[in-house]
Amino acid sequence: MSETNDTPPGGTDFIRQQIRADLASDRYGGRVVTRFPPEPNGYLHVGHATAIILNYGIAQDFSGRFHLRFDDTNPEKENEEYVRGIKEDILWLGADWGEQLYFASDYFERMYDCAVTLIQKGLAYVDSQSLEAIREGRGTVTEAGTASPYRDRTVEENLDLFARMRDGEFTDGAHVLRGKIDMGDPNMLMRDPVLYRIRHAHHYRQGDDWCIYPLYDYAHCLEDAFEGVTHSICTIEFENNRELYDWVLESSGFTEPRPHQYEWAGLDLENAVLSKRAIGPLVSAGLVSGWDDPRLATIAAYRRRGVPPEAIRMFASLVGVSRSGGRTEEDKFEYAIREVLNTEAPRVMAVLDPLKVVLTNLPEDHAESFDIASFPPDVGRDGSRAVPFAAEVWIERSDFAQDPPEGFRRLVPGGEVRLRGAYVLRCDEVVTDEEGAVVELRCSVDLQTRGGSNPEGRRVNGTIHWVSVADALDAEVRLFSALLEPVDEGEEIEGDEPDITERVSPDSLVVVHGAKIEPSVADEALDTRYQFERTGYFWRDPSDGRDDRLIFNRIVALKSTYRGAPDVERSEQRERAAEVKKTGPSVKPQISEVRQAARNADPGLAERFAAYPEAYGISIEHADLLTGSMATVAFFESAIADGADPGAVASWIVTDVRALLGDGAVADLAFTGDALGRLVELVTSGAVSRRAAKDVLARMADRGGDPGELIEDMGLAAVSDTNMLGEIIDGVLAGMPDKVEAYRGGRTNLIGLFIGEVMKATRGAADPKAVRSLLSERLDS
């Protein structure tokens, strides 16, 4: 089912229409304040991205304010790591909260006071029933609820009990605070909702100061009111919560103009795992490399995969803002990625499954080069590169067929094709091995067809790409597809839903070793995104593809199956994409005016801003962030002084370190640039995973220290010793004989369960790839 889009091309969505009406009536005195309120219990996904873009875009459109508020009212699941990760994601998308950074936990005292006010008004009471009894007493959609036996406690008794709850006198679950509304209300959320519960748990920011915590429906509307938010934009599943939102604010004494809640459909993206509860087990089991595994739909994963933030913003514009939702086709997202990359990504040739071609009419030492355009004519961009050509070239194995099927339009015995930008090639001889497999082609080129020349009347089967054998760079290429296998409707499933760790598709990641790539990529910045001609869009993995390692992630395949439903809708989508490309989406990242002013005043900063992209292979955006002050410059240059990879260091500074700093300066850090450089080198050498290194960085920010020593002290050194891992694996398998038997009986997806148990046994320090390999050796033998 395709989603319904209520945003007409060139028009305005219903939320912006509401805001315009509020401005016209002077409802909020000309103010527009929006917010994005994530809970820091996981990393953001693409659904969150569309919410960020909507809220930040509205604030920009109406010269308003955009708040980032961490809804950290659940002490058992939240931590600083997720706070840092969420900040990184939002900045990468191009949104910026400026000075408007808030934490719900900072309002705990004010929320408590509001609860006391509700009790004093007779609008809240302490209920001593169990949570199960409370749930049963709510009734059903057709039957009214049953009043709690504690509903008529006196105000004095409720105030006393609530104060003692705060003082820690009672155990978890002994009491809750409930709103006193109407147990017969048709909206079941209004049947005396729970407002506070007891949780004796350490809070990552407030420590042990509190043992009672507010629930979301009570807390977030008060947070909006405390901050002066005007338009509280939620997804459609909170539509029924709006009545409770209004009740809490009005009952707590907030009068107009106060915040109001508006709902939109949000995003449900096809083939995307969006639930944090679903992603967590995959990470814990080692079935994905972390929250930034490129197969996931987290923003961190898209960033690592190579998706440009402009594509996510274009996608949000294409989907629009709708009241009624539905599932959005994955191909629409991929369409947006291609639209952005088509004009940005230089073309290069890469052969993923190489077949050698020996050109018999050229001398063995033949060497020349062809100047081949980096962009097609319709893109409107100049640029070319010199591509070397020799007497042996690689072509794709799939571009040759010894016994061609009907309609095959590439190289066949005795047939001709054009080598892209070079010569017409004729296949004269096929060399096979003892089993009949093709191992080499012996061909000849027509020297009269150099560089695209073609005698009149000459017809060839097609044009194929190639790479010179003598000059090719060896690379690893990672191809991603849908992470989870679909659940068969007729399959019997134990429990409420299938175990997600058993649904991971073994084909979701295909690693191609020994791919051949033209040498021009060695001269480009590390974060360059390419189109591998006839194959797809790729870039170097920012975690594993640094230094001399060429590891490329496929960002998106070259061809799309997206057709946008009917012809009218396809036309509208094309018009919308063209408009977005022409005017740009609401979020427009750009060179900072403040940092540019600093460079205008300091020639040393200006020189470095101009030099860094070429000297260190970093983006202009990163160069901008690194050259805003001499202190940041000194920190960066200190970090790379002893040989740490500049691109990797730059990435750490502009994301991880920047998120740690908040509004502070590098001079406030508890560690130096050279310490960061040592940490980056430890990640590069494999001594610690990048995920674990983030925890080390947080410890360094808290108290300083040598990264190598911290890795040891924190027990985060990578475990790859096969003997040690083998003993752990043998113990895990010995304790699960029934699962081992099921695996060998065909349930091979159980390998995720085994990996997860090994990761638990090693406290997450094992190398998941080594674990999988050792498990396979034992289970498949």
Side-chain angles (χ1 to χ4, degrees):
M1 176 181 176
S2 177
E3 80 284 349
T4 302
N5 192 319
D6 295 340
T7 309
T12 181
D13 58 73
F14 71 96
I15 294 178
R16 285 176 169 84
Q17 290 174 0
Q18 176 66 53
I19 292 172
R20 286 191 172 91
D22 291 341
L23 289 172
S25 66
D26 202 32
R27 184 179 191 179
Y28 295 105
R31 293 184 304 114
V32 175
V33 182
T34 61
R35 86 288 183 268
F36 176 65
E39 182 181 1
N41 65 348
Y43 286 86
L44 303 182
H45 55 64
V46 66
H48 294 119
T50 57
I52 293 166
I53 291 165
L54 172 62
N55 282 279
Y56 184 62
I58 286 173
Q60 284 194 315
D61 290 348
F62 295 98
S63 300
R65 292 202 319 267
F66 168 73
H67 292 192
L68 171 59
R69 179 208 309 142
F70 287 97
D71 188 11
D72 54 349
T73 60
N74 188 344
E76 296 165 312
K77 297 182 179 181
E78 300 158 352
N79 62 55
E80 189 65 36
E81 173 199 341
Y82 296 127
V83 171
R84 294 194 306 270
I86 289 169
K87 287 181 179 179
E88 292 174 23
D89 291 342
I90 294 172
L91 291 170
W92 177 78
L93 279 172
D96 195 339
W97 56 89
E99 298 179 356
Q100 283 76 49
L101 174 63
Y102 304 97
F103 292 85
S105 56
D106 290 341
Y107 304 133
F108 280 171
E109 193 69 47
R110 295 178 70 181
M111 293 181 194
Y112 179 84
D113 291 342
C114 288
V116 169
T117 297
L118 293 178
I119 295 173
Q120 292 171 336
K121 290 182 176 181
L123 297 176
Y125 64 96
V126 174
D127 194 344
S128 304
Q129 295 183 100
S130 68
L131 289 179
E132 182 179 357
I134 291 174
R135 281 193 294 269
E136 291 178 355
R138 283 225 170 90
T140 67
V141 293
T142 57
E143 297 179 356
T146 303
S148 165
Y150 303 99
R151 196 172 195 265
D152 294 325
R153 276 174 165 157
T154 65
V155 169
E156 292 72 19
E157 185 178 6
N158 284 318
L159 288 172
D160 175 67
L161 284 170
F162 191 51
R164 291 160 63 192
M165 286 169 60
R166 173 178 178 168
D167 291 342
E169 182 176 333
F170 305 112
T171 59
D172 290 4
H175 307 286
V176 296
L177 183 71
R178 297 179 68 178
K180 192 173 185 180
I181 308 178
D182 182 359
M183 292 302 294
D185 197 295
N187 182 350
M188 292 183 65
L189 293 174
M190 300 297 288
R191 296 178 186 178
D192 290 10
V194 175
L195 308 180
Y196 268 89
R197 79 286 203 209
I198 301 173
R199 285 288 184 275
H200 289 274
H202 183 82
H203 191 279
Y204 76 104
R205 294 188 77 247
Q206 302 298 333
D208 298 315
D209 290 348
W210 291 86
C211 62
I212 58 171
Y213 290 92
L215 273 72
Y216 172 83
D217 279 328
Y218 172 75
H220 93 282
C221 52
L222 290 175
E223 296 155 15
D224 287 344
F226 295 155
E227 295 172 17
V229 168
T230 57
H231 299 81
S232 181
I233 303 170
C234 302
T235 45
I236 200 69
E237 64 264 30
F238 293 101
E239 183 175 18
N240 289 338
N241 303 60
R242 189 196 323 145
E243 189 176 357
L244 182 53
Y245 183 103
D246 293 337
W247 180 87
V248 171
L249 291 184
E250 291 167 1
S251 300
S252 298
F254 289 94
T255 58
E256 296 290 354
R258 62 165 178 81
H260 284 269
Q261 176 178 304
Y262 303 91
E263 305 86 24
W264 66 303
L267 178 71
D268 181 12
L269 182 62
E270 179 184 52
N271 291 331
V273 182
L274 299 183
S275 167
K276 296 176 185 177
R277 289 189 297 273
I279 297 173
L282 297 173
V283 175
S284 299
L287 291 170
V288 293
S289 60
W291 289 83
D292 65 347
D293 187 295
R295 292 169 291 176
L296 295 174
T298 61
I299 299 176
Y302 286 139
R303 186 166 70 240
R304 180 176 176 184
R305 191 170 115 193
V307 175
E310 298 89 345
I312 297 179
R313 298 196 294 268
M314 175 178 283
F315 174 60
S317 297
L318 290 174
V319 172
V321 181
S322 169
R323 291 187 182 90
S324 58
R327 178 150 292 193
T328 298
E329 301 94 335
E330 182 182 20
D331 282 337
K332 184 177 287 188
F333 182 39
E334 295 183 350
Y335 167 80
I337 299 172
R338 292 187 192 91
E339 281 293 296
V340 171
L341 292 179
N342 179 49
T343 57
E344 293 185 359
R347 275 57 170 173
V348 299
M349 292 188 287
V351 176
L352 274 55
D353 186 11
L355 174 63
K356 181 183 284 189
V357 173
V358 178
L359 304 176
T360 57
N361 65 328
L362 296 179
E364 290 184 3
D365 60 352
H366 180 83
E368 63 178 312
S369 65
F370 292 92
D371 190 60
I372 299 179
S374 297
F375 298 93
D378 62 336
V379 168
R381 292 188 61 179
D382 297 327
S384 62
R385 77 279 186 195
V387 182
F389 186 84
E392 293 181 342
V393 297
W394 299 111
I395 67 169
E396 290 286 359
R397 189 170 296 274
S398 60
D399 280 336
F400 173 76
Q402 192 169 14
D403 297 307
E406 184 177 353
F408 188 76
R409 300 288 300 168
R410 283 156 286 170
L411 190 61
V412 298
E416 292 183 335
V417 294
R418 175 171 290 283
L419 296 176
R420 167 90 166 91
Y423 297 104
V424 169
L425 173 81
R426 177 182 176 83
C427 179
D428 302 315
E429 181 182 353
V430 179
V431 180
T432 60
D433 61 16
E434 295 179 354
E435 297 178 355
V438 177
V439 296
E440 181 178 291
L441 302 179
R442 292 178 182 169
C443 304
S444 55
V445 293
D446 184 344
L447 300 178
Q448 301 302 311
T449 60
R450 189 183 195 281
S453 299
N454 199 30
E456 187 175 352
R458 183 75 166 272
R459 299 182 63 183
V460 297
N461 278 345
T463 299
I464 64 174
H465 60 279
W466 53 274
V467 177
S468 166
V469 170
D471 303 282
L473 300 177
D474 287 326
E476 176 183 309
V477 175
R478 297 172 179 177
L479 309 175
F480 309 106
S481 57
L483 178 62
L484 300 182
E485 293 179 335
V487 178
D488 295 334
E489 292 185 4
E491 181 180 356
E492 184 177 347
I493 299 171
E494 297 180 3
D496 294 333
E497 58 183 35
D499 183 350
I500 195 169
T501 62
E502 297 185 19
R503 290 182 52 209
V504 174
S505 169
D507 300 323
S508 61
L509 170 61
V510 175
V511 179
V512 177
H513 298 283
K516 311 296 182 181
I517 301 180
E518 67 172 73
S520 65
V521 300
D523 300 325
E524 298 286 349
L526 293 178
D527 59 354
T528 301
R529 296 172 176 86
Y530 303 95
Q531 185 192 108
F532 289 179
E533 295 201 38
R534 304 174 62 229
T535 304
Y537 292 96
F538 294 78
W539 89 329
R540 288 176 70 171
D541 186 283
S543 296
D544 300 335
R546 293 293 178 179
D547 299 324
D548 295 329
R549 294 172 296 174
L550 288 180
I551 301 176
F552 286 89
N553 295 335
R554 183 170 67 186
I555 304 169
V556 66
L558 198 58
K559 294 184 179 180
S560 171
T561 59
Y562 174 61
R563 294 294 180 269
D567 289 343
V568 172
E569 184 176 343
R570 290 203 299 271
S571 175
E572 290 177 352
Q573 295 293 351
R574 285 194 296 270
E575 291 176 8
R576 187 185 300 276
E579 181 65 22
V580 170
K581 291 177 73 174
K582 178 181 177 182
T583 63
S586 295
V587 183
K588 303 180 181 70
Q590 54 188 349
I591 300 301
S592 164
E593 293 182 2
V594 174
R595 288 188 287 271
Q596 186 58 48
R599 289 190 288 269
N600 291 340
D602 187 334
L605 291 176
E607 289 173 6
R608 286 173 170 85
F609 175 65
Y612 277 4
E614 183 174 352
Y616 298 127
I618 62 177
S619 67
I620 293 176
E621 184 179 21
H622 283 186
D624 170 50
L625 291 163
L626 293 172
T627 58
S629 70
M630 287 307 300
T632 307
V633 164
F635 186 85
F636 170 65
E637 294 184 353
S638 172
I640 65 175
D642 291 330
D645 176 68
V649 170
S651 179
W652 277 86
I653 292 175
V654 303
T655 54
D656 304 82
V657 175
R658 188 181 177 206
L660 286 171
L661 282 172
D663 296 328
V666 291
D668 301 327
L669 290 170
F671 60 92
T672 59
D674 62 317
L676 176 66
R678 290 196 298 275
L679 179 63
V680 172
E681 288 187 288
L682 289 167
V683 174
T684 301
S685 68
V688 64
S689 69
R690 196 182 195 286
R691 165 64 187 82
K694 289 191 174 188
D695 291 338
V696 176
L697 185 71
R699 181 71 62 85
M700 291 166 60
D702 182 47
R703 62 191 71 169
D706 178 76
E709 294 176 1
L710 289 175
I711 289 169
E712 294 298 326
D713 293 343
M714 297 169 70
L716 295 176
V719 178
S720 56
D721 181 278
T722 55
N723 292 329
M724 182 187 300
L725 286 177
E727 292 177 4
I728 295 171
I729 288 170
D730 290 340
V732 167
L733 296 181
M736 310 175 73
D738 55 333
K739 298 295 185 183
V740 172
E741 183 179 356
Y743 176 92
R744 289 174 172 157
R747 295 186 63 192
T748 55
N749 282 338
L750 283 171
I751 196 167
L753 174 64
F754 301 135
I755 293 174
E757 293 302 311
V758 175
M759 297 302 291
K760 290 178 185 177
T762 61
R763 297 175 57 203
D767 179 352
K769 293 181 181 178
V771 172
R772 179 181 286 274
S773 175
L774 291 170
L775 277 168
S776 297
E777 289 178 7
R778 285 160 169 76
L779 292 167
D780 297 335
S781 60

